[in-house]
Amino acid sequence: MRAADVRQRASRGFVASGFEAVRNKLDARLLVDPIYSAQLAAYWKGELVVDLVGGPELDEDSVTGVFSSSKGVAGIVIALLAERGELDLDAPVPRYWPDFAAAGKEAVTVRQLLSHQAGLPSLDGGLRPEDLLDCAVGGARLAAEWPRWRPGTAFGYHSITIGILAEELVRQATGRRLQEIYETEIRAPRDIDFYLGLPESQEPRYRANVPIVPTPEQAAEIAGRDTPSDGLFGATFSMPYPAADGGPPIDAIWPNDRRVRAAGQTAVGGVGSAKGLAAAYATTIGEFNGPRLLSPTTVSQVSQQHSWGTDRVAPPLLGSFAILFQLPTHTNNFGSHRAFGHDGAGGSLAFADPVHDLAFGYIPNPMQYPGGSDPKALEFSRSILDCITTLRDDAPRT
Amino acid sequence: MRAADVRQRASRGFVASGFEAVRNKLDARLLVDPIYSAQLAAYWKGELVVDLVGGPELDEDSVTGVFSSSKGVAGIVIALLAERGELDLDAPVPRYWPDFAAAGKEAVTVRQLLSHQAGLPSLDGGLRPEDLLDCAVGGARLAAEWPRWRPGTAFGYHSITIGILAEELVRQATGRRLQEIYETEIRAPRDIDFYLGLPESQEPRYRANVPIVPTPEQAAEIAGRDTPSDGLFGATFSMPYPAADGGPPIDAIWPNDRRVRAAGQTAVGGVGSAKGLAAAYATTIGEFNGPRLLSPTTVSQVSQQHSWGTDRVAPPLLGSFAILFQLPTHTNNFGSHRAFGHDGAGGSLAFADPVHDLAFGYIPNPMQYPGGSDPKALEFSRSILDCITTLRDDAPRT
Amino acid sequence: MRAADVRQRASRGFVASGFEAVRNKLDARLLVDPIYSAQLAAYWKGELVVDLVGGPELDEDSVTGVFSSSKGVAGIVIALLAERGELDLDAPVPRYWPDFAAAGKEAVTVRQLLSHQAGLPSLDGGLRPEDLLDCAVGGARLAAEWPRWRPGTAFGYHSITIGILAEELVRQATGRRLQEIYETEIRAPRDIDFYLGLPESQEPRYRANVPIVPTPEQAAEIAGRDTPSDGLFGATFSMPYPAADGGPPIDAIWPNDRRVRAAGQTAVGGVGSAKGLAAAYATTIGEFNGPRLLSPTTVSQVSQQHSWGTDRVAPPLLGSFAILFQLPTHTNNFGSHRAFGHDGAGGSLAFADPVHDLAFGYIPNPMQYPGGSDPKALEFSRSILDCITTLRDDAPRT
């Protein structure tokens, strides 16, 4: 390879002194994969220490879809409501949302609902676009449904419905949309470049998510998966049906559907930059364009593990969930055991780590195999943590 | 192979239009395995759409033992009692069965007892024939016993004792035998060819269960299993001791023991045809020789998952249980995620699937390796579901 | 090998008639591994039936560290307090230890605390020597801490902190040290050669624990383990930090640190002989130098499984825990399903088995790979159980 090619493929942006290894790691990856692109950002002790971008599919100014990493940002909104006392995590859901009491769900707590324990990962008859685009529609259907398991006795990843459930709970409890609370109380006042509901004005910045480009081995693995569409995994992860009114189906790459990213559907429709994702988490553990959003006690409460074990929807995977947040495990070890965040189907990852005073954001494009827990996301997060450890040992920044 | 042989080995019986693929699949199997025999039946929307039999060990008129598939039929009786209010699933067991309160079991609920959570998978000192042939005898011993685990904190397959426990609970709650309720209120009035207690009059139809004929590889795998008889697995799955009075031991192929099938022991002693098994389930989701037996609400309640995770008795297997019913998992995907049923040690399988309005029954002979979750049972069930899906798409029958 | 070598490497000591196979098994091992050393002891029906020692690193009179096997002996003390009513297993911990109510732990029960369910496997900021050497110091820090998981919803092996928690609970509940209760009420009056707090007078008998001598394959496996020190596993199993006052760090082979074995830290600091370990357990199921210590009911209560499933700290391992005691599983099948005991990092194992009326103790030196659940420990225990079974069948000793 010529020197010019190497330069052309190198990342652009900034790393603080002591974080050069992170840039090197990203550059090494960009070199070997000519279509690979990524944004990578980190705040340490409230300061931006990594802000990199590279590859043809993302620029400094790009925003793109992060799929399930959206859920973590919704989790920050829930935490804010809990902090203020607007939402009691111990309350039964029907205290806020009376219709939810149907079909044996009267005792389901807010904690259970928001940690994938309610047994509503899919909808009988299938999800439709209007169910996810309007939480009042999807919420009404979910409120009527019998849970697949006794609530609280198991958990399983509610890949799409967790967003509908969180949104409708907030709407019933506060009279406001979760996305609106995020926009007006967190995003806009702190100038965070991550959106739950991408405004028209930002559309020119949107870079479409490019589908996974699997290797032959990966393609064979994907083709060999046997997941009947009527089983729990299939029913949970299938694309929605066409709309009842004959409207267009949801784009197979969810956030590429303007309706999904305009709604900012909290399970799958968030859009932003890696820096914006990291910034959203930075507000939770320190000052960031304003006072600290959450008290340490609230952080402890919402980041405490609520669900653990074999995921009922996606066995034999082991999962660990707090209130909407995903927690690190031995195979998804993105931070210390006090870290909380979420990854996304495209390979994105964002989290806050109170132990290391770190907020991290990463968004690749194209989407990366296998579609979550991108090994590269873990490598980048571990590289940053190594830099922090070295800096601490060598010269404490206080 | 000569054409005459192919004809001779072909299945006999009936498939409705659109279900030809099911017959082809059975015929293909019969061709390659000259001793393999099976009955296969399905009701779709209340109509018999598959009714096949093939191989030398079973005829159109045969009934044979189904081992643990018996448990699902006992589950139907429990559901009927719950529907009528004769059994409250939320009640502590001692409300009906006072002696059960001994040894730290006062708070065990009916739900826990009937979903393998009570911690009584075996009996200290070993099971004897009289314990399983008379639930009053075995029940009294189980009522005195300390659970192996804190009830409700784990589950493990109670392969034999679950039948004793269900029978004795019903006897204590209603004053009647579970088998008698089944016979007089479900089987006889609806002319269902499946028995919990095979009458003498039906004995001429009984075809003995033929033991597994393992391949050399399977035989080696079986021989290599290291399961100490005093461990939880060994104690649960060992054959009963000889009777205290010196009477004969239980036949190693349980339902081949006339005493077991005469008692209709609900864990292991049910006998019938595949059509009868399917018919028993057909009553739960629609009209079948009488009005629908259970309301949709009762079906939702008793088919809801109560137990999930690593089976304490048979680790590292993952299990999923409702009220006596077994539920589909990723490795035992016999129907949609709303299906409920049970398989048996010989390879039998039966279930109802409310999503597809399907009732399914399958009984092979000889017993099939590995002794449950027979891959062929899953293949036949999936073949029938594929036919239904195609018929729905092509030409709705309603 | 010359006959003299074979003789020299043979075990010394005693086996009762019928237990010769146990000696043969130990001798076979001693022959092939010239540095391997072990003490092995068993009481059957209260009588010493196996008392063997062999190899260069242990003598008849040696005592050495047993690491986590200490926890089981602490469990016997807890059981004694429960028997007497000094400790109510169902009580919330703060009833005895008010400060423990901090940080969302007000409802944690004694049962949960002592079965690894409280979510406190490590300490924020890291453990220090004084935390484990003085339970009042470590206990105060743990009492202030937010659990990693909602107590009662998961469990994970609290390798060191479980000892601090048990000791401080006892101190708060009774005003006495757990180790003192053991010494004055169990060890001294019954002349048991196992110490929670090795007195100076016994120091000459102490044989240092020799570190694992791994094979090249084992060394590669150990080196390949990727366990970030800030993850839950790393934070739980890391060595303590140096003391805040600049004192020496804890020896990497814990009981070799005189401070640890002098304190008799109950998670890791017990010291004794295999005969002493077995004797401690013998007191729980029958008379041993005094009346039976625990009623059968108490034994049933404290040996009942409280925790089961995938260990949150050490996934994907499956664990089974009672009140401090470890229980047999399919991969750690040291006794019948009613047995209770504990193994230790060096390879030691001790347990009582009420089904077989057996108390077992085994201590190897050097420490054995992989550092717990030593396959040889299981082999010796199974060999003894086989001898008992044969004796029972051939000629009952009663």
Side-chain angles (χ1 to χ4, degrees):
Chain A
M1 192 178 292
R2 293 179 308 162
D5 287 341
V6 172
R7 270 197 308 278
Q8 189 187 344
R9 292 198 188 163
S11 62
R12 304 170 303 276
F14 160 81
V15 292
S17 172
F19 291 87
E20 294 81 3
V22 183
R23 182 199 284 273
N24 293 342
K25 188 174 278 284
L26 178 58
D27 286 349
R29 172 63 59 173
L30 291 165
L31 258 183
V32 299
D33 186 347
I35 61 168
Y36 173 70
S37 311
Q39 292 177 336
L40 179 60
Y43 292 90
W44 184 40
K45 301 181 178 178
E47 291 175 48
L48 188 67
V49 292
V50 175
D51 183 19
L52 296 172
V53 63
E57 297 292 345
L58 289 173
D59 293 318
E60 289 80 349
D61 192 48
S62 303
V63 291
T64 190
V66 302
F67 298 85
S68 295
S69 293
S70 312
K71 296 177 174 84
V73 179
I76 297 171
V77 178
I78 296 289
L80 179 63
L81 296 176
E83 167 103 13
R84 289 177 183 163
E86 293 186 69
L87 203 56
D88 179 353
L89 300 177
D90 290 315
V93 174
R95 182 188 301 170
Y96 303 113
W97 182 1
D99 288 352
F100 191 83
K105 302 195 302 302
E106 56 282 354
V108 178
T109 64
V110 171
R111 291 186 188 284
Q112 292 170 338
L113 186 77
L114 298 179
S115 57
H116 302 273
Q117 296 187 54
L120 303 168
S122 65
L123 264 169
D124 284 335
L127 207 67
R128 295 168 311 197
E130 54 269 37
D131 295 315
L132 65 113
L133 296 174
D134 182 349
C135 67
V137 175
R141 289 184 66 196
L142 286 162
E145 192 128 331
W146 273 93
R148 275 73 178 157
W149 56 83
R150 301 272 299 165
T153 65
F155 82 96
Y157 189 54
H158 292 42
S159 64
I160 299 301
T161 58
I162 195 77
I164 303 172
L165 292 165
E167 292 171 32
E168 184 61 5
L169 173 68
V170 168
R171 196 180 71 88
Q172 297 265 349
T174 70
R176 301 170 65 198
R177 292 183 66 232
L178 190 156
Q179 293 94 328
E180 178 208 336
I181 296 171
Y182 173 69
E183 176 64 25
T184 58
E185 308 198 29
I186 302 176
R187 202 207 65 71
R190 291 166 189 261
D191 194 23
I192 293 171
D193 192 30
F194 183 84
Y195 303 85
L196 293 177
L198 189 69
E200 275 288 345
S201 62
Q202 301 292 325
E203 278 288 318
R205 299 175 59 205
Y206 184 70
R207 289 291 291 260
N209 290 94
V210 179
I212 291 178
V213 183
T215 66
E217 292 75 21
Q218 292 168 350
E221 195 278 330
I222 293 169
R225 290 177 194 161
D226 181 18
T227 52
S229 64
D230 62 359
L232 201 50
F233 184 91
T236 300
F237 284 94
S238 297
M239 290 304 299
Y241 286 88
D245 64 4
I250 296 289
D251 190 296
I253 309 293
W254 303 70
N256 284 352
D257 191 311
R258 168 64 194 159
R259 295 169 297 172
V260 173
R261 64 180 185 271
Q265 208 274 345
T266 55
V268 75
V271 168
S273 65
K275 188 158 61 168
L277 258 184
Y281 279 98
T283 68
T284 65
I285 54 173
E287 299 184 3
F288 186 88
N289 290 356
R292 187 175 162 144
L293 194 70
L294 305 173
S295 69
T297 296
T298 296
V299 168
S300 295
Q301 287 173 325
V302 300
S303 67
Q304 192 174 43
Q305 179 182 280
H306 284 60
S307 299
W308 164 249
T310 306
D311 190 306
R312 181 60 183 97
V313 169
L317 284 187
L318 293 170
S320 172
F321 289 96
I323 299 297
L324 285 185
F325 299 114
Q326 195 180 35
L327 302 181
T329 65
H330 60 307
T331 56
N332 192 22
N333 59 346
F334 54 74
S336 83
H337 63 278
R338 293 292 196 189
F340 55 98
H342 218 291
D343 62 8
S348 62
L349 173 68
F351 65 87
D353 191 337
V355 166
H356 298 296
D357 206 347
L358 171 71
F360 173 94
Y362 165 72
I363 308 176
N365 203 19
M367 297 170 70
Q368 299 294 301
Y369 182 86
S373 296
D374 178 12
K376 291 183 292 300
L378 299 180
E379 283 171 30
F380 290 131
S381 67
R382 280 287 146 199
S383 176
I384 290 174
L385 290 166
D386 288 345
C387 293
I388 289 174
T389 303
T390 304
L391 286 169
R392 274 214 178 107
D393 291 350
D394 290 0
R397 287 165 64 113
T398 57
Chain B
M1 195 179 289
R2 293 178 310 161
D5 286 340
V6 172
R7 271 197 308 279
Q8 188 187 343
R9 292 197 188 164
S11 62
R12 304 169 305 276
F14 160 80
V15 292
S17 172
F19 291 86
E20 294 81 4
V22 182
R23 181 198 286 272
N24 293 342
K25 187 174 278 283
L26 177 59
D27 285 350
R29 172 64 58 172
L30 291 165
L31 258 183
V32 297
D33 185 348
I35 61 168
Y36 173 71
S37 311
Q39 291 176 335
L40 179 60
Y43 292 90
W44 183 40
K45 300 181 178 179
E47 292 175 46
L48 189 67
V49 293
V50 175
D51 183 20
L52 297 171
V53 63
E57 296 293 344
L58 289 171
D59 292 318
E60 288 80 349
D61 192 49
S62 303
V63 291
T64 190
V66 302
F67 299 85
S68 295
S69 293
S70 311
K71 297 177 174 83
V73 178
I76 297 171
V77 178
I78 296 289
L80 179 63
L81 296 176
E83 168 103 12
R84 290 175 181 165
E86 293 187 70
L87 202 56
D88 178 353
L89 300 177
D90 289 315
V93 173
R95 181 188 302 171
Y96 303 113
W97 182 1
D99 289 351
F100 191 83
K105 301 194 303 302
E106 57 282 354
V108 177
T109 64
V110 172
R111 291 186 188 283
Q112 291 170 338
L113 185 77
L114 298 179
S115 57
H116 302 273
Q117 296 187 55
L120 302 168
S122 65
L123 264 169
D124 283 334
L127 207 67
R128 295 169 310 202
E130 54 269 36
D131 295 314
L132 64 112
L133 295 174
D134 182 350
C135 67
V137 175
R141 288 184 66 197
L142 286 163
E145 192 128 334
W146 274 94
R148 276 72 177 155
W149 57 82
R150 302 270 302 165
T153 66
F155 81 96
Y157 189 55
H158 292 43
S159 63
I160 299 301
T161 58
I162 195 77
I164 303 171
L165 292 166
E167 291 172 31
E168 183 62 5
L169 173 67
V170 167
R171 196 180 72 88
Q172 296 266 349
T174 70
R176 301 171 65 197
R177 290 184 68 233
L178 190 155
Q179 293 94 327
E180 179 208 337
I181 297 170
Y182 173 71
E183 177 64 25
T184 58
E185 308 198 31
I186 301 176
R187 201 207 65 72
R190 291 166 189 260
D191 193 23
I192 293 170
D193 192 31
F194 183 84
Y195 303 85
L196 292 176
L198 189 69
E200 276 288 345
S201 62
Q202 301 293 325
E203 278 288 320
R205 297 176 59 207
Y206 185 70
R207 289 291 289 261
N209 290 93
V210 179
I212 291 179
V213 183
T215 65
E217 291 75 21
Q218 292 168 350
E221 194 278 329
I222 293 169
R225 290 176 193 163
D226 181 18
T227 52
S229 65
D230 63 358
L232 201 50
F233 185 91
T236 301
F237 285 95
S238 297
M239 290 303 300
Y241 286 88
D245 64 4
I250 297 289
D251 190 296
I253 308 293
W254 304 70
N256 284 352
D257 191 313
R258 169 65 194 155
R259 295 169 298 171
V260 173
R261 64 179 186 271
Q265 208 275 343
T266 55
V268 75
V271 167
S273 64
K275 187 158 62 168
L277 257 184
Y281 279 98
T283 67
T284 66
I285 54 173
E287 298 184 3
F288 186 88
N289 291 355
R292 185 175 163 145
L293 194 70
L294 305 173
S295 69
T297 295
T298 296
V299 168
S300 295
Q301 286 173 326
V302 300
S303 67
Q304 192 175 43
Q305 178 182 280
H306 283 60
S307 299
W308 164 249
T310 307
D311 190 305
R312 181 60 182 100
V313 169
L317 284 186
L318 292 170
S320 173
F321 290 95
I323 299 297
L324 285 185
F325 299 114
Q326 195 181 36
L327 303 181
T329 65
H330 59 308
T331 56
N332 192 22
N333 60 346
F334 54 75
S336 83
H337 62 278
R338 294 291 196 189
F340 55 98
H342 218 292
D343 63 9
S348 62
L349 173 69
F351 65 89
D353 192 336
V355 166
H356 298 295
D357 206 347
L358 171 72
F360 174 93
Y362 165 73
I363 307 176
N365 203 18
M367 296 169 69
Q368 300 294 301
Y369 181 87
S373 296
D374 179 11
K376 292 184 291 299
L378 300 179
E379 283 171 30
F380 291 131
S381 68
R382 281 286 146 199
S383 176
I384 289 173
L385 289 166
D386 288 345
C387 294
I388 289 174
T389 302
T390 303
L391 286 168
R392 274 212 179 110
D393 290 349
D394 290 359
R397 286 164 64 110
T398 44
Chain C
M1 194 178 289
R2 293 178 309 161
D5 287 340
V6 172
R7 270 198 310 278
Q8 188 188 344
R9 294 198 187 162
S11 61
R12 304 171 303 276
F14 159 82
V15 293
S17 172
F19 292 86
E20 294 81 3
V22 182
R23 181 198 285 274
N24 293 343
K25 187 174 279 283
L26 177 59
D27 286 348
R29 173 62 60 170
L30 290 165
L31 257 184
V32 297
D33 185 348
I35 61 168
Y36 173 71
S37 311
Q39 292 176 336
L40 179 60
Y43 292 90
W44 184 41
K45 300 181 178 179
E47 291 177 47
L48 188 67
V49 293
V50 175
D51 183 19
L52 296 171
V53 63
E57 297 292 343
L58 289 171
D59 292 318
E60 288 81 350
D61 192 47
S62 304
V63 291
T64 190
V66 302
F67 298 85
S68 294
S69 293
S70 312
K71 297 178 173 82
V73 179
I76 296 171
V77 179
I78 296 289
L80 180 62
L81 297 176
E83 168 104 13
R84 290 175 181 164
E86 294 186 68
L87 203 55
D88 179 353
L89 300 177
D90 289 315
V93 174
R95 181 187 302 170
Y96 303 114
W97 182 0
D99 288 351
F100 191 83
K105 303 194 301 302
E106 58 281 354
V108 178
T109 65
V110 172
R111 291 186 188 284
Q112 291 169 337
L113 186 76
L114 299 179
S115 57
H116 302 273
Q117 297 187 53
L120 302 169
S122 64
L123 263 169
D124 284 334
L127 207 66
R128 295 168 310 199
E130 54 269 36
D131 294 317
L132 63 113
L133 295 174
D134 183 349
C135 67
V137 174
R141 288 184 65 196
L142 286 162
E145 192 129 332
W146 274 93
R148 276 73 178 155
W149 57 81
R150 303 270 301 164
T153 65
F155 81 96
Y157 189 55
H158 292 42
S159 64
I160 299 300
T161 58
I162 194 77
I164 303 171
L165 293 165
E167 291 172 31
E168 183 61 6
L169 173 68
V170 168
R171 196 180 71 88
Q172 296 266 350
T174 69
R176 300 171 66 198
R177 291 183 67 233
L178 190 155
Q179 293 93 329
E180 179 208 336
I181 297 171
Y182 173 69
E183 176 64 26
T184 58
E185 307 198 32
I186 302 176
R187 201 206 66 72
R190 290 168 190 260
D191 194 23
I192 293 171
D193 192 30
F194 183 84
Y195 304 85
L196 293 177
L198 189 69
E200 275 288 346
S201 62
Q202 301 292 325
E203 278 289 319
R205 298 175 59 207
Y206 185 70
R207 288 293 289 260
N209 291 94
V210 178
I212 291 178
V213 183
T215 66
E217 291 75 23
Q218 292 168 349
E221 195 278 329
I222 293 170
R225 289 177 193 161
D226 181 18
T227 53
S229 64
D230 63 359
L232 201 51
F233 184 91
T236 300
F237 284 95
S238 297
M239 290 303 299
Y241 286 87
D245 64 5
I250 296 289
D251 191 295
I253 307 295
W254 304 71
N256 284 352
D257 191 312
R258 168 64 194 158
R259 295 169 297 172
V260 173
R261 64 180 185 271
Q265 209 274 344
T266 55
V268 74
V271 168
S273 65
K275 187 158 62 168
L277 257 184
Y281 279 97
T283 67
T284 66
I285 54 173
E287 298 184 4
F288 185 88
N289 291 355
R292 185 175 162 143
L293 194 71
L294 305 173
S295 69
T297 295
T298 296
V299 168
S300 295
Q301 286 173 326
V302 300
S303 68
Q304 192 175 42
Q305 178 182 282
H306 284 61
S307 299
W308 164 250
T310 306
D311 191 305
R312 181 59 182 99
V313 169
L317 283 187
L318 291 170
S320 173
F321 290 96
I323 299 297
L324 284 185
F325 299 114
Q326 195 180 36
L327 303 181
T329 65
H330 59 307
T331 57
N332 192 23
N333 59 346
F334 54 75
S336 83
H337 62 279
R338 293 292 196 190
F340 56 97
H342 218 291
D343 63 9
S348 62
L349 173 68
F351 65 88
D353 191 337
V355 167
H356 298 295
D357 205 347
L358 171 70
F360 174 93
Y362 165 72
I363 308 177
N365 203 18
M367 297 169 70
Q368 299 294 302
Y369 182 87
S373 295
D374 179 12
K376 292 184 292 299
L378 300 179
E379 283 171 29
F380 291 130
S381 67
R382 281 287 146 199
S383 175
I384 290 174
L385 290 166
D386 288 346
C387 294
I388 289 174
T389 303
T390 304
L391 286 168
R392 275 214 178 104
D393 291 350
D394 290 359
R397 288 163 62 109
T398 45

